[in-house]
Amino acid sequence: MTRDYSERLIVQEVAPRDGLQIEAKWVETADKIALIDGLSACGFTRIEAGSFVSPKAIPALRDGDAVFHGIRRAPGVVYVALVPNVKGAQRAVAAGADELNLVMSASQTHNRANMRMSCEASLDGFAEIVRITNISLNGTVATAFGCPFEGRIDENRVVSIVRSYREMGMEGITLADTTGMANPRQVERVVSRVLEHVPAAALTLHFHNTRGLGLANVLAAYDAGARRFDAALGGLGGCPFAPGASGNICTEDLVNMCDEMGIPTGIDLERLIALSRTLPALVGHEVPGQLAKAGRNSNLHPVPDYVRTI
Ligand code: COA
Ligand code: ZN
Protein backbone atom coordinates (compact mmCIF):
# COMPACT_ATOMS: atom_id res chain seq x y z
CA MET A 1 0.00 0.00 0.00
CA THR A 2 1.33 3.47 -0.86
CA ARG A 3 0.55 6.03 1.79
CA ASP A 4 0.60 9.78 1.32
CA TYR A 5 2.81 11.61 3.82
CA SER A 6 2.82 15.00 2.11
CA GLU A 7 0.29 16.77 4.35
CA ARG A 8 1.60 18.82 7.24
CA LEU A 9 1.46 17.37 10.74
CA ILE A 10 0.75 20.13 13.23
CA VAL A 11 2.43 19.76 16.59
CA GLN A 12 1.02 21.52 19.63
CA GLU A 13 3.73 21.76 22.28
CA VAL A 14 2.40 20.95 25.75
CA ALA A 15 5.53 20.71 27.93
CA PRO A 16 4.83 23.99 29.76
CA ARG A 17 1.48 22.52 30.90
CA ASP A 18 1.31 18.70 30.78
CA GLY A 19 5.09 18.51 31.17
CA LEU A 20 5.58 20.73 34.19
CA GLN A 21 2.34 19.91 36.04
CA ILE A 22 3.74 16.64 37.40
CA GLU A 23 7.24 17.86 38.30
CA ALA A 24 8.09 17.78 41.99
CA LYS A 25 10.73 20.52 41.74
CA TRP A 26 9.38 24.06 41.59
CA VAL A 27 10.26 25.70 38.27
CA GLU A 28 10.64 29.46 38.66
CA THR A 29 8.18 31.66 36.76
CA ALA A 30 11.04 33.27 34.81
CA ASP A 31 12.29 29.82 33.76
CA LYS A 32 8.80 28.81 32.58
CA ILE A 33 8.62 32.01 30.55
CA ALA A 34 12.07 31.37 29.06
CA LEU A 35 11.02 27.83 28.12
CA ILE A 36 7.87 29.07 26.37
CA ASP A 37 9.79 31.85 24.59
CA GLY A 38 12.34 29.25 23.46
CA LEU A 39 9.53 27.05 22.12
CA SER A 40 7.98 30.05 20.35
CA ALA A 41 11.22 30.35 18.34
CA CYS A 42 11.08 26.70 17.16
CA GLY A 43 8.22 27.11 14.68
CA PHE A 44 5.21 25.87 16.65
CA THR A 45 1.85 27.39 15.79
CA ARG A 46 0.26 26.26 19.06
CA ILE A 47 1.70 26.05 22.59
CA GLU A 48 -0.24 25.00 25.69
CA ALA A 49 1.45 27.44 28.00
CA GLY A 50 -0.18 26.62 31.35
CA SER A 51 -3.32 25.78 33.23
CA PHE A 52 -5.72 27.70 35.44
CA VAL A 53 -6.75 25.04 37.92
CA SER A 54 -6.86 24.92 41.69
CA PRO A 55 -3.37 25.73 43.05
CA LYS A 56 -4.00 23.00 45.62
CA ALA A 57 -4.56 20.44 42.84
CA ILE A 58 -1.52 21.46 40.74
CA PRO A 59 0.86 23.61 42.80
CA ALA A 60 3.52 23.42 40.04
CA LEU A 61 1.41 25.66 37.76
CA ARG A 62 0.02 28.07 40.33
CA ASP A 63 1.77 30.98 38.59
CA GLY A 64 -0.21 30.67 35.33
CA ASP A 65 -1.28 34.31 35.43
CA ALA A 66 2.30 35.61 35.71
CA VAL A 67 3.50 33.18 33.04
CA PHE A 68 0.89 34.30 30.49
CA HIS A 69 1.61 37.95 31.26
CA GLY A 70 5.38 37.42 30.99
CA ILE A 71 5.74 35.52 27.70
CA ARG A 72 6.75 37.19 24.42
CA ARG A 73 3.92 36.65 21.95
CA ALA A 74 5.40 35.34 18.73
CA PRO A 75 3.24 36.26 15.74
CA GLY A 76 1.16 33.35 14.47
CA VAL A 77 1.41 31.34 17.69
CA VAL A 78 -1.77 30.46 19.60
CA TYR A 79 -1.13 30.28 23.35
CA VAL A 80 -3.58 27.84 24.92
CA ALA A 81 -4.62 27.50 28.57
CA LEU A 82 -6.07 24.37 30.15
CA VAL A 83 -9.16 25.10 32.22
CA PRO A 84 -11.39 22.85 34.37
CA ASN A 85 -14.19 25.22 35.40
CA VAL A 86 -15.70 28.71 35.18
CA LYS A 87 -13.23 30.20 37.64
CA GLY A 88 -10.34 28.86 35.55
CA ALA A 89 -11.88 30.29 32.38
CA GLN A 90 -12.19 33.73 33.95
CA ARG A 91 -8.58 33.65 35.17
CA ALA A 92 -7.27 32.44 31.79
CA VAL A 93 -9.14 35.12 29.84
CA ALA A 94 -7.88 37.80 32.24
CA ALA A 95 -4.32 36.52 31.77
CA GLY A 96 -4.61 36.84 27.99
CA ALA A 97 -4.91 33.21 26.83
CA ASP A 98 -5.80 32.91 23.12
CA GLU A 99 -7.75 29.70 23.52
CA LEU A 100 -9.17 27.63 26.38
CA ASN A 101 -8.77 23.87 26.53
CA LEU A 102 -11.67 22.48 28.57
CA VAL A 103 -10.98 19.02 29.95
CA MET A 104 -13.30 16.27 31.08
CA SER A 105 -12.63 12.53 31.19
CA ALA A 106 -14.76 9.96 29.39
CA SER A 107 -14.38 7.94 32.58
CA GLN A 108 -16.58 9.14 35.45
CA THR A 109 -14.11 7.73 37.94
CA HIS A 110 -11.12 9.54 36.47
CA ASN A 111 -13.09 12.76 36.18
CA ARG A 112 -13.93 12.53 39.88
CA ALA A 113 -10.27 11.81 40.71
CA ASN A 114 -8.92 14.60 38.52
CA MET A 115 -11.64 17.25 38.60
CA ARG A 116 -13.43 16.28 41.81
CA MET A 117 -16.78 16.32 40.04
CA SER A 118 -19.04 14.20 37.87
CA CYS A 119 -18.93 14.43 34.08
CA GLU A 120 -22.36 16.08 34.20
CA ALA A 121 -21.02 18.82 36.50
CA SER A 122 -18.04 19.34 34.16
CA LEU A 123 -20.38 19.70 31.17
CA ASP A 124 -22.59 22.17 33.06
CA GLY A 125 -19.49 24.27 33.75
CA PHE A 126 -18.43 24.12 30.09
CA ALA A 127 -21.89 25.27 28.95
CA GLU A 128 -21.53 28.25 31.27
CA ILE A 129 -18.03 28.98 29.89
CA VAL A 130 -19.41 28.90 26.33
CA ARG A 131 -22.11 31.36 27.46
CA ILE A 132 -19.86 33.86 29.24
CA THR A 133 -16.70 33.87 27.07
CA ASN A 134 -16.01 35.03 23.56
CA ILE A 135 -12.82 33.10 22.94
CA SER A 136 -11.77 30.06 20.93
CA LEU A 137 -12.61 26.84 22.81
CA ASN A 138 -11.21 23.32 22.55
CA GLY A 139 -12.80 20.37 24.34
CA THR A 140 -10.62 17.48 25.51
CA VAL A 141 -11.96 14.00 26.15
CA ALA A 142 -9.42 12.60 28.62
CA THR A 143 -9.04 8.83 29.15
CA ALA A 144 -10.61 8.46 25.67
CA PHE A 145 -8.73 5.22 24.97
CA GLY A 146 -8.72 3.66 28.44
CA CYS A 147 -8.94 4.55 32.13
CA PRO A 148 -6.54 3.43 34.87
CA PHE A 149 -9.55 2.85 37.18
CA GLU A 150 -12.32 1.64 34.83
CA GLY A 151 -10.28 -0.01 32.08
CA ARG A 152 -11.99 -0.08 28.68
CA ILE A 153 -13.86 3.01 27.57
CA ASP A 154 -16.93 2.62 25.38
CA GLU A 155 -16.12 4.17 21.98
CA ASN A 156 -19.76 5.24 21.59
CA ARG A 157 -19.37 7.31 24.73
CA VAL A 158 -16.29 9.05 23.30
CA VAL A 159 -18.14 9.88 20.08
CA SER A 160 -21.14 11.10 22.03
CA ILE A 161 -18.99 13.45 24.19
CA VAL A 162 -17.31 14.79 21.06
CA ARG A 163 -20.74 15.52 19.57
CA SER A 164 -21.90 17.25 22.77
CA TYR A 165 -18.78 19.44 22.77
CA ARG A 166 -19.38 20.45 19.15
CA GLU A 167 -23.09 21.08 19.75
CA MET A 168 -22.18 23.29 22.71
CA GLY A 169 -20.04 25.44 20.43
CA MET A 170 -16.51 24.17 21.01
CA GLU A 171 -14.63 24.23 17.76
CA GLY A 172 -11.58 22.13 18.57
CA ILE A 173 -11.66 18.59 19.93
CA THR A 174 -8.84 16.63 21.57
CA LEU A 175 -8.86 12.90 22.23
CA ALA A 176 -6.42 12.23 25.06
CA ASP A 177 -4.84 8.91 25.97
CA THR A 178 -4.11 10.04 29.50
CA THR A 179 -2.17 6.98 30.66
CA GLY A 180 -0.96 5.50 27.37
CA MET A 181 -3.50 2.69 27.04
CA ALA A 182 -4.27 3.15 23.33
CA ASN A 183 -3.06 0.83 20.59
CA PRO A 184 -2.78 1.63 16.86
CA ARG A 185 -5.80 -0.45 15.71
CA GLN A 186 -8.02 1.17 18.33
CA VAL A 187 -6.68 4.62 17.40
CA GLU A 188 -7.40 4.09 13.73
CA ARG A 189 -10.97 2.99 14.53
CA VAL A 190 -11.78 5.79 16.98
CA VAL A 191 -10.18 8.52 14.86
CA SER A 192 -12.10 7.36 11.78
CA ARG A 193 -15.36 7.49 13.73
CA VAL A 194 -14.67 10.91 15.26
CA LEU A 195 -13.68 12.36 11.86
CA GLU A 196 -17.26 11.70 10.75
CA HIS A 197 -18.25 14.48 13.16
CA VAL A 198 -15.19 16.79 13.32
CA PRO A 199 -13.08 18.20 10.47
CA ALA A 200 -9.46 17.00 10.54
CA ALA A 201 -8.28 20.60 10.99
CA ALA A 202 -10.14 20.74 14.34
CA LEU A 203 -9.09 17.36 15.79
CA THR A 204 -6.03 16.88 18.01
CA LEU A 205 -4.65 13.59 19.33
CA HIS A 206 -2.88 13.61 22.69
CA PHE A 207 -0.83 10.50 23.34
CA HIS A 208 1.28 9.48 26.30
CA ASN A 209 4.15 7.08 25.79
CA THR A 210 3.47 5.17 29.01
CA ARG A 211 3.60 1.77 27.30
CA GLY A 212 5.91 2.69 24.44
CA LEU A 213 3.15 2.96 21.83
CA GLY A 214 3.13 6.74 21.44
CA LEU A 215 4.62 7.18 17.96
CA ALA A 216 2.92 4.03 16.63
CA ASN A 217 -0.36 5.61 17.69
CA VAL A 218 0.56 8.90 15.98
CA LEU A 219 1.14 7.12 12.69
CA ALA A 220 -2.09 5.15 13.00
CA ALA A 221 -3.97 8.39 13.63
CA TYR A 222 -2.22 10.18 10.76
CA ASP A 223 -3.05 7.30 8.42
CA ALA A 224 -6.69 7.58 9.56
CA GLY A 225 -6.71 11.28 8.62
CA ALA A 226 -5.71 13.10 11.84
CA ARG A 227 -3.27 15.98 11.39
CA ARG A 228 -2.87 17.63 14.81
CA PHE A 229 -0.89 16.14 17.69
CA ASP A 230 0.13 17.19 21.18
CA ALA A 231 3.69 16.43 22.25
CA ALA A 232 5.98 17.54 25.06
CA LEU A 233 9.61 18.58 24.81
CA GLY A 234 11.83 15.86 26.26
CA GLY A 235 8.81 13.57 26.70
CA LEU A 236 7.90 15.26 29.99
CA GLY A 237 4.38 15.00 31.31
CA GLY A 238 1.64 13.11 33.05
CA CYS A 239 -1.55 13.55 35.04
CA PRO A 240 -0.90 13.52 38.80
CA PHE A 241 -4.42 12.13 39.39
CA ALA A 242 -3.98 9.06 37.16
CA PRO A 243 -2.00 6.24 38.79
CA GLY A 244 0.94 5.13 36.64
CA ALA A 245 0.83 8.18 34.39
CA SER A 246 4.04 9.06 32.59
CA GLY A 247 5.32 11.32 29.85
CA ASN A 248 3.69 12.64 26.71
CA ILE A 249 5.11 11.59 23.38
CA CYS A 250 8.38 13.46 23.02
CA THR A 251 8.24 16.42 20.62
CA GLU A 252 11.73 16.08 19.19
CA ASP A 253 11.29 12.30 18.75
CA LEU A 254 8.03 13.00 16.87
CA VAL A 255 9.52 15.77 14.70
CA ASN A 256 12.51 13.55 13.94
CA MET A 257 10.21 10.74 12.80
CA CYS A 258 8.34 13.22 10.57
CA ASP A 259 11.58 14.65 9.15
CA GLU A 260 12.90 11.18 8.36
CA MET A 261 9.59 10.19 6.72
CA GLY A 262 9.21 13.45 4.80
CA ILE A 263 6.11 14.57 6.71
CA PRO A 264 6.30 18.40 6.93
CA THR A 265 5.98 19.95 10.42
CA GLY A 266 7.48 23.43 10.03
CA ILE A 267 9.50 22.87 13.22
CA ASP A 268 13.22 23.56 13.54
CA LEU A 269 14.57 20.28 14.94
CA GLU A 270 18.06 21.59 15.74
CA ARG A 271 16.63 24.34 17.95
CA LEU A 272 14.27 21.87 19.54
CA ILE A 273 17.09 19.48 20.43
CA ALA A 274 19.13 22.32 21.91
CA LEU A 275 16.15 23.41 24.01
CA SER A 276 15.43 19.85 25.11
CA ARG A 277 18.99 19.50 26.36
CA THR A 278 18.31 22.31 28.85
CA LEU A 279 15.50 20.31 30.49
CA PRO A 280 17.44 18.07 32.91
CA ALA A 281 18.86 21.17 34.60
CA LEU A 282 15.41 22.77 34.68
CA VAL A 283 13.52 19.83 36.20
CA GLY A 284 16.38 18.19 38.09
CA HIS A 285 16.37 14.78 36.40
CA GLU A 286 16.95 12.98 33.11
CA VAL A 287 14.02 13.18 30.69
CA PRO A 288 12.58 10.28 28.67
CA GLY A 289 13.04 11.66 25.13
CA GLN A 290 15.47 9.63 23.03
CA LEU A 291 16.55 11.86 20.14
CA ALA A 292 18.30 14.48 22.29
CA LYS A 293 20.47 11.67 23.70
CA ALA A 294 21.09 9.75 20.46
CA GLY A 295 21.36 12.71 18.05
CA ARG A 296 19.90 12.78 14.54
CA ASN A 297 20.68 10.09 11.93
CA SER A 298 22.71 12.69 10.08
CA ASN A 299 25.10 13.16 13.03
CA LEU A 300 27.62 10.59 11.83
CA HIS A 301 30.46 9.37 14.00
CA PRO A 302 34.17 9.42 13.11
CA VAL A 303 35.38 6.08 11.82
CA PRO A 304 37.70 4.46 14.42
CA ASP A 305 41.32 4.03 13.30
CA TYR A 306 41.28 0.22 13.53
CA VAL A 307 38.49 0.10 10.94
CA ARG A 308 40.65 2.01 8.45
CA THR A 309 43.31 -0.66 8.64
CA ILE A 310 40.99 -3.58 7.91
N1 COA B 1 -8.32 28.36 39.74
C1 COA B 1 -7.95 28.72 41.01
N2 COA B 1 -8.60 28.34 42.10
C2 COA B 1 -9.70 27.57 41.93
C3 COA B 1 -10.15 27.17 40.68
C4 COA B 1 -9.40 27.58 39.55
N3 COA B 1 -9.75 27.22 38.31
N4 COA B 1 -11.24 26.44 40.83
C5 COA B 1 -11.50 26.38 42.14
N5 COA B 1 -10.58 27.07 42.82
C6 COA B 1 -10.46 27.25 44.27
C7 COA B 1 -11.75 27.77 44.87
O1 COA B 1 -11.79 29.16 44.78
C8 COA B 1 -11.63 27.28 46.28
O2 COA B 1 -10.72 28.08 46.99
P1 COA B 1 -10.78 28.28 48.59
O3 COA B 1 -10.56 26.93 49.19
O4 COA B 1 -9.68 29.24 48.86
O5 COA B 1 -12.17 28.82 48.83
C9 COA B 1 -11.01 25.91 46.13
O6 COA B 1 -10.28 25.98 44.89
C10 COA B 1 -12.02 24.79 46.07
O7 COA B 1 -12.97 25.10 45.06
P2 COA B 1 -13.97 23.99 44.50
O8 COA B 1 -14.78 24.58 43.39
O9 COA B 1 -14.71 23.33 45.64
O10 COA B 1 -12.95 22.99 43.84
P3 COA B 1 -12.67 21.45 44.15
O11 COA B 1 -11.84 21.33 45.36
O12 COA B 1 -13.93 20.69 44.06
O13 COA B 1 -11.74 21.09 42.88
C11 COA B 1 -11.13 21.66 40.64
C12 COA B 1 -12.24 21.21 41.56
C13 COA B 1 -11.62 21.41 39.21
C14 COA B 1 -10.88 23.13 40.85
C15 COA B 1 -9.81 20.86 40.93
O14 COA B 1 -10.11 19.49 41.02
C16 COA B 1 -8.79 21.06 39.85
O15 COA B 1 -8.25 22.15 39.74
N6 COA B 1 -8.48 20.03 39.05
C17 COA B 1 -7.54 20.14 37.95
C18 COA B 1 -6.57 19.01 37.99
C19 COA B 1 -5.61 19.09 36.82
O16 COA B 1 -5.18 20.14 36.40
N7 COA B 1 -5.26 17.91 36.29
C20 COA B 1 -4.32 17.79 35.20
C21 COA B 1 -4.76 18.35 33.92
S1 COA B 1 -6.03 17.43 33.13
ZN1 ZN C 1 -1.67 14.46 29.02
Side-chain angles (χ1 to χ4, degrees), residues 29-46:
T29 306
D31 293 333
K32 289 178 177 133
I33 293 170
L35 173 65
I36 296 165
D37 288 347
L39 291 165
S40 295
C42 289
F44 294 101
T45 51
R46 304 173 57 80

Side-chain angles (χ1 to χ4, degrees), residues 18 206 208 248:
D18 205 328
H206 176 106
H208 282 260
N248 287 90

Side-chain angles (χ1 to χ4, degrees), residues 46 68 164:
R46 304 173 57 80
F68 267 83
S164 316

Side-chain angles (χ1 to χ4, degrees), residues 17 21 51-58 82 84-85 87-88 91 103 114-117 239-241:
R17 195 280 300 171
Q21 73 182 9
S51 66
F52 292 86
V53 305
S54 156
K56 284 191 198 118
I58 308 279
L82 182 144
N85 58 9
K87 179 163 184 180
R91 287 179 57 213
V103 179
N114 193 32
M115 300 302 183
R116 297 180 179 273
M117 60 182 122
C239 174
F241 303 102

